[in-house]
Amino acid sequence: MSLPQGIGEPSVYHAVVVIFLEFFAWGLLTTPMLTVLHQTFPQHTFLMNGLIHGVKGLLSFLSAPLIGALSDVWGRKSFLLLTVFFTCAPIPLMKISPWWYFAVISMSGVFAVTFSVIFAYVADITQEHERSTAYGLVSATFAASLVTSPAIGAYLSVAYGDTLVVILATAIALLDICFILVAVPESLPEKMRPASWGAPISWEQADPFASLRKVGQDSTVLLICITVFLSYLPEAGQYSSFFLYLRQVISFSSETVAAFIAVVGILSILAQTLVLGILMRSIGNKNTILLGLGFQILQLAWYGFGSQPWMMWAAGAVAAMSSITFPAISAIVSRNADPDQQGVVQGMITGIRGLCNGLGPALYGFVFYLFHVELTDTDSSEKGAKLNMANPTDESAIIPGPPFLFGACSVLLSLLVALFIPEHTGPGVRSGAYKKHSNGAQSHSHSPQGSGAEGKEPLLEDSSV
């Protein structure tokens, strides 16, 4: 049974709507999720948060390349439907059974890799020179989904209770699934797909470790993966604890935190749409990555040493500029991957980010623990609690945010690694490979190779450093 064909020709805007609805639904649950987490695990809130996200992240790390590779064979639409459904499946369980909610959210990591399929979808329908702008638009949409949704969720939670927020988030998730079913057309050309779902697929195509083994064989892939890991690890940890950090250590109110999210989200949209396009044209792909990493180092250092609210606002503006890094990395990966390997390479990058989503929260929680900064009281603003520090006069007073400084050091290492990523310029590097799938019949010309060479074929072309 085939899925509906969708409406019109595939476009970037189909991908944008899918991403917006998925993360808007989860953004609504920011406040209720923190409350349920604290109520379910009152003694070890952030430890369990790290464990849950660790399991989910590990599963995403293992499954993302496989999902991407299968979407290269069977098409993007089916896997968009699959990933969005399982990513959003835990939402209604939040009020039905918290224990089942956290169990399902952990296991959902197997399919919670929407970004890898979305970026492959975008690669199918854009020219090489359009890709960085398109990826920036998708990443900006992620930021846009978080501009208002946490504030809306927090307001509805206070005014009407968490149950209404969960129902609303579930309805938006269902709307997203219906949109994919009805409106999203398939982006992968028919000639690149088998005649039916019953067509055979080799273990080489389905092996989740195949692309991971190629990481060590291809120097460019290795450099990019290390860059992504070292830069996204502190970002993932920051997402897990930063809003509580603002409330308890910097003494932001809930309203101020919501305003902070909105302002940084709007600035991120501008950075990933207008600024990213200008930088890619003026200084190139690689230098854009390096600039983004530089902004991230400054942002994390400012978060680490900053103790005044105005410092957080200033660092938030810098954080918005650092958001150009990931779409620039996705663009350089897509530019140098073959047309029928877009899902594999994007899945591999998404898998690395999934691993960081598991390790980052645990790392940040552990560093906060080492420096006696306890982030466990979710109701501190209502109770007028003081900073929850074991020894307010110790090193915590000198370095309010120790994990952010560890993160800055990690990103510095990432920047040093990124210096060795080749730029890949010039039309002669891969003649014909930059064309759209629908315009080129050469997309499978590289496929029939001897089995002896398959394991050694680089994932990205021209990967010499």
Side-chain angles (χ1 to χ4, degrees):
M1 186 181 69
S2 61
L3 296 175
Q5 294 300 310
I7 299 175
E9 292 295 320
S11 73
V12 175
Y13 298 104
H14 288 104
V16 162
V17 173
V18 171
I19 286 292
F20 181 84
L21 291 176
E22 177 179 329
F23 287 98
F24 189 88
W26 277 108
L28 289 172
L29 298 175
T30 302
T31 298
M33 183 162 51
L34 187 60
T35 302
V36 171
L37 182 68
H38 184 61
Q39 290 174 347
T40 309
F41 309 106
Q43 300 301 320
H44 306 287
T45 304
F46 274 79
L47 177 62
M48 293 306 300
N49 180 61
L51 179 62
I52 291 165
H53 284 88
V55 174
K56 181 180 179 180
L58 179 61
L59 292 176
S60 295
F61 171 67
L62 295 175
S63 67
L66 172 61
I67 298 295
L70 292 177
S71 75
D72 285 335
V73 178
W74 288 330
R76 316 294 185 200
K77 180 170 180 173
S78 301
F79 286 93
L80 271 181
L81 186 64
L82 191 70
T83 56
V84 171
F85 175 81
F86 280 100
T87 301
C88 297
I91 292 178
L93 296 175
M94 181 180 288
K95 297 305 294 182
I96 297 174
S97 173
W99 283 96
W100 273 106
Y101 167 75
F102 290 116
V104 174
I105 204 173
S106 298
M107 301 308 297
S108 69
V110 174
F111 296 102
V113 290
T114 307
F115 264 109
S116 65
V117 184
I118 282 289
F119 280 159
Y121 187 99
V122 170
D124 291 339
I125 58 177
T126 55
Q127 299 278 4
E128 179 271 329
H129 68 275
E130 303 171 329
R131 235 162 254 170
S132 60
T133 302
Y135 287 152
L137 182 60
V138 172
S139 297
T141 301
F142 168 71
S145 68
L146 299 178
V147 169
T148 56
S149 56
I152 293 173
Y155 170 77
L156 293 176
S157 178
V158 172
Y160 302 103
D162 290 349
T163 301
L164 177 65
V165 180
V166 173
I167 292 174
L168 179 60
T170 303
I172 293 174
L174 290 174
L175 176 63
D176 196 12
I177 293 171
C178 292
F179 177 78
I180 297 171
L181 271 173
V182 176
V184 175
E186 176 58 61
S187 65
L188 196 65
E190 186 71 31
K191 63 177 177 290
M192 296 183 66
R193 287 178 279 149
S196 69
W197 278 78
I201 179 170
S202 67
W203 172 244
E204 179 67 22
Q205 293 171 297
D207 182 6
F209 296 97
S211 62
L212 300 182
R213 286 195 295 269
K214 290 182 180 180
V215 168
Q217 300 170 0
D218 190 314
S219 57
T220 300
V221 175
L222 179 62
L223 291 172
I224 291 174
C225 286
I226 294 174
T227 299
V228 171
F229 180 81
L230 292 175
S231 63
Y232 194 71
L233 183 66
E235 187 174 343
Q238 174 186 314
Y239 286 150
S240 70
S241 59
F242 186 60
F243 302 137
L244 265 183
Y245 176 80
L246 288 178
R247 286 178 59 181
Q248 293 188 284
V249 179
I250 309 299
S251 301
F252 272 27
S253 65
S254 299
E255 293 77 12
T256 307
V257 170
F260 182 90
I261 297 173
V263 170
V264 174
I266 292 172
L267 292 177
S268 297
I269 294 170
L270 296 175
Q272 295 176 31
T273 51
L274 300 178
V275 178
L276 178 64
I278 294 172
L279 290 175
M280 292 288 285
R281 290 190 297 270
S282 58
I283 66 175
N285 205 152
K286 176 181 175 179
N287 289 330
T288 301
I289 294 172
L290 297 177
L291 184 62
L293 293 174
F295 278 120
Q296 189 178 359
I297 293 171
L298 178 59
Q299 161 225 331
L300 289 168
W302 213 337
Y303 281 159
F305 285 112
S307 58
Q308 301 298 321
W310 71 266
M311 296 180 179
M312 297 297 105
W313 286 99
V318 178
M321 282 301 301
S322 72
S323 65
I324 63 176
T325 305
F326 184 62
I329 288 176
S330 296
I332 201 170
V333 168
S334 176
R335 175 184 299 173
N336 297 288
D338 289 314
D340 67 344
Q341 288 188 329
Q342 293 293 331
V344 175
V345 295
Q346 297 298 345
M348 182 174 55
I349 298 301
T350 302
I352 296 293
R353 284 164 61 95
L355 181 63
C356 292
N357 283 329
L359 297 177
L363 175 63
Y364 266 52
F366 180 67
V367 175
F368 272 126
Y369 172 78
L370 287 180
F371 282 80
H372 310 295
V373 183
E374 302 295 341
L375 300 177
T376 55
D377 187 1
T378 60
D379 300 318
S380 61
S381 60
E382 287 80 4
K383 297 176 182 178
K386 299 285 187 179
L387 296 186
N388 193 6
M389 292 185 179
N391 298 293
T393 59
D394 64 7
E395 63 270 20
S396 302
I398 302 173
I399 308 176
F404 303 112
L405 294 183
F406 280 87
C409 295
S410 176
V411 180
L412 178 60
L413 293 176
S414 175
L415 188 147
L416 295 176
V417 172
L419 288 171
F420 296 95
I421 297 176
E423 178 66 61
H424 297 296
T425 56
V429 174
R430 290 173 61 234
S431 59
Y434 292 161
K435 296 179 182 180
K436 275 185 169 183
H437 293 174
S438 59
N439 294 337
Q442 75 282 4
S443 55
H444 276 305
S445 61
H446 61 280
S447 297
Q449 300 190 16
S451 58
E454 284 183 4
K456 298 181 181 179
E457 181 185 359
L459 201 59
L460 302 185
E461 298 289 339
D462 189 35
S463 59
S464 60
V465 178

